[in-house]
Amino acid sequence: MNIEPRKIKIRDVFQNYADNGDDGVFAYGGRLAIRPAYQREFVYDLEQAEAVIQTVLKGYPLNVMYWVKTGEDCYEVLDGQQRTLSVMQYLKHQFPITLDGKKFYWDALPDDKYNRIMDYEFMIYVCEGAESEKLEWFRVVNIAGEKLTEQELRNSVYTGAWLSDAKLHFSKRNCAAKKLSDKYIIGDPNRQELLEKALKGICEFQQIKDITEYMAQHKSDPDADELWQYFQDVIHWTEKIFPQYYRDMKGLDWCHLYNRYHENYYNSAIMAAEVKRLHEDTFEVQKPKGIYEFLLCRDTDPYAGRLLNLRVFEEKDKQAAYSRQNGICPVCGQHFEYDEMEGDHILPWSKGGKTTGENCQMLCKPCNGKKSDKY
């Protein structure tokens, strides 16, 4: 791993500065990608941006910035994007600063202050090395400013056509993935959270241990069609199985649910009716967000009811059942002390049984752990 410290003047970074919108922001004679194509948008507000300029004017040091070498004399900003853009945008007349109670755009500054900005030196660490080395370095170093997310760190290492296409689908607030999944999945595309969730999902689907392994495998691919198609399949499957939308569907791990249950057959009309019934059963169902996975697995998992955090029997009902049974477990026929037994539905809840004293029996803990919905 090679890490080279450099001091580069603002006037040199500003050379050929160009903001091409979704196609990226470039400077340093076109050799530096400040914001690569489809990377997160500018997040500093005007107060933060002006604070950067005031820091430069006073000659105070800004925190160290990190550039990644991507080719022969070509670079990409890993950390320092917001600080760099603040200076570049000020020099492009996009906002003023306040000096002595007056607003000044860059072209109205006194010559000494203008030159103070242009001659100010950014402290840059240029990083070059193997993918694994760079990723480890970026994780260990205490990166200043807007702290990078894990996925932003991965993006800085596994650059290429595949990543650019993935960002096209999963980055920026108005991206296609955000529009498609906004009702179901929580994640800020600007911070690469939506891309990370899609990658976690497809890694689980393909039984790949780590996101970096998937990104390394596909780094040289011309596009990210496989990932985008997988993500669309997840959302379309969700909409098909649960045609009626409820607000508590947002934030569930739909990629995991798709991976686990998408090969099963479900009748969407029955699922819709069951979701409605369970939402209305506020007396028994304590965890509405568990409704969806419960319906997906209730025919195969005898303990699916735990996903709903069902209401438990009151202490008086359990004590009455224990006395009625004389401490005998009706499954194994053995006698147990009260604290060795647990309350259980005689008629299983999933088959219409209620959490009432009349439907309560006491089972020993081993028998209760083995009991299914059969009765």
Side-chain angles (χ1 to χ4, degrees):
M1 178 71 180
N2 182 40
I3 304 168
E4 177 187 352
R6 296 186 193 176
K7 291 184 178 180
I8 303 177
K9 290 184 176 182
I10 285 177
R11 68 171 68 252
D12 295 326
V13 177
F14 187 58
Q15 183 182 0
N16 297 120
Y17 170 77
D19 185 342
N20 300 322
D22 283 346
D23 292 328
V25 181
F26 301 89
Y28 200 45
R31 293 170 290 158
L32 173 67
I34 301 177
R35 179 174 62 76
Y38 304 103
Q39 181 58 282
R40 63 180 168 131
E41 297 174 329
F42 188 65
V43 297
Y44 271 11
D45 58 29
L46 288 177
E47 183 178 353
Q48 291 172 300
E50 180 174 347
V52 173
I53 306 303
Q54 297 286 5
T55 300
V56 170
L57 279 171
K58 292 173 183 176
Y60 296 162
L62 289 170
N63 289 325
V64 171
M65 302 180 190
Y66 293 85
W67 292 2
V68 180
K69 191 169 184 180
T70 58
E72 186 63 34
D73 203 21
C74 293
Y75 312 91
E76 184 176 299
V77 175
L78 168 66
D79 182 65
Q81 181 189 106
Q82 310 304 319
R83 283 163 281 160
T84 305
L85 283 174
S86 295
V87 176
M88 300 297 105
Q89 291 181 354
Y90 179 68
L91 295 176
K92 289 295 286 186
H93 211 269
Q94 290 185 235
F95 66 90
I97 63 170
T98 302
L99 295 173
D100 301 322
K102 297 180 181 178
K103 296 288 185 181
F104 286 86
Y105 285 90
W106 75 270
D107 52 357
L109 286 174
D111 288 346
D112 63 321
K113 295 187 183 300
Y114 172 77
N115 289 327
R116 195 177 300 167
I117 292 176
M118 299 303 283
D119 291 333
Y120 184 92
E121 292 180 327
F122 286 150
M123 184 63 202
I124 310 293
Y125 280 179
V126 177
C127 308
E128 181 181 13
E131 293 169 350
S132 58
E133 291 178 317
K134 287 192 288 186
L135 189 57
E136 182 62 24
W137 166 257
F138 297 150
R139 281 176 173 160
V140 170
V141 72
N142 181 26
I143 296 175
E146 265 320 293
K147 187 173 178 62
L148 299 179
T149 66
E150 278 295 309
Q151 190 56 44
E152 287 173 324
L153 290 172
R154 297 184 193 105
N155 288 356
S156 68
V157 174
Y158 297 96
T159 57
W162 177 89
L163 181 60
S164 294
D165 192 52
K167 288 179 180 178
L168 170 63
H169 295 299
F170 292 94
S171 299
K172 297 177 71 67
R173 287 189 177 88
N174 61 348
C175 65
K178 181 68 172 176
K179 293 177 180 177
L180 177 68
S181 67
D182 197 39
K183 294 195 301 183
Y184 302 99
I185 296 178
I186 297 173
D188 183 354
N190 282 347
R191 300 307 304 270
Q192 309 304 314
E193 293 170 357
L194 210 52
L195 174 58
E196 183 178 51
K197 289 188 175 183
L199 285 167
K200 284 182 178 178
I202 201 168
C203 284
E204 181 188 54
F205 184 71
Q206 297 183 0
Q207 298 183 337
I208 295 174
K209 183 177 180 181
D210 189 76
I211 289 176
T212 55
E213 182 180 343
Y214 182 90
M215 294 182 73
Q217 289 177 8
H218 295 275
K219 177 182 177 181
S220 300
D221 290 358
D223 55 55
D225 283 356
E226 179 186 70
L227 180 65
W228 175 229
Q229 185 60 59
Y230 164 80
F231 193 75
Q232 291 180 88
D233 289 344
V234 170
I235 303 303
H236 293 154
W237 174 82
T238 302
E239 293 173 330
K240 178 182 177 182
I241 301 301
F242 300 106
Q244 176 63 46
Y245 178 76
Y246 292 87
R247 285 185 297 177
D248 59 8
M249 298 173 78
K250 186 164 186 173
L252 298 178
D253 191 348
W254 289 106
C255 289
H256 170 71
L257 296 179
Y258 171 84
N259 294 343
R260 189 167 183 180
Y261 303 112
H262 77 281
E263 292 183 347
N264 299 343
Y265 170 76
Y266 302 98
N267 184 304
S268 59
I270 293 175
M271 296 293 269
E274 286 291 274
V275 171
K276 182 176 184 295
R277 179 182 69 84
L278 293 172
H279 270 121
E280 293 173 350
D281 192 358
T282 56
F283 181 75
E284 294 281 355
V285 177
Q286 306 293 302
K287 186 180 178 183
K289 275 187 172 289
I291 287 173
Y292 308 97
E293 186 167 9
F294 167 77
L295 292 174
L296 292 169
C297 72
R298 64 177 175 175
D299 292 335
T300 56
D301 184 355
Y303 308 112
R306 296 174 181 176
L307 295 165
L308 303 176
N309 193 19
L310 297 174
R311 194 174 73 90
V312 297
F313 289 103
E314 295 181 7
E315 196 66 22
K316 64 180 181 62
D317 293 330
K318 293 193 294 182
Q319 289 176 351
Y322 181 81
S323 178
R324 188 168 62 244
Q325 297 170 205
N326 294 316
I328 303 298
C329 173
V331 176
C332 66
Q334 301 297 310
H335 181 274
F336 294 89
E337 297 299 322
Y338 177 79
D339 59 5
E340 296 177 316
M341 305 184 81
E342 296 173 328
D344 174 67
H345 293 78
I346 299 172
L347 176 63
W349 175 87
S350 61
K351 292 180 169 60
K354 297 299 182 182
T355 311
T356 61
E358 296 76 16
N359 196 41
C360 177
Q361 65 180 350
M362 295 295 284
L363 302 185
C364 69
K365 291 180 180 179
C367 287
N368 196 38
K370 298 175 184 176
K371 181 178 179 289
S372 70
D373 282 348
K374 296 179 180 180
Y375 63 96

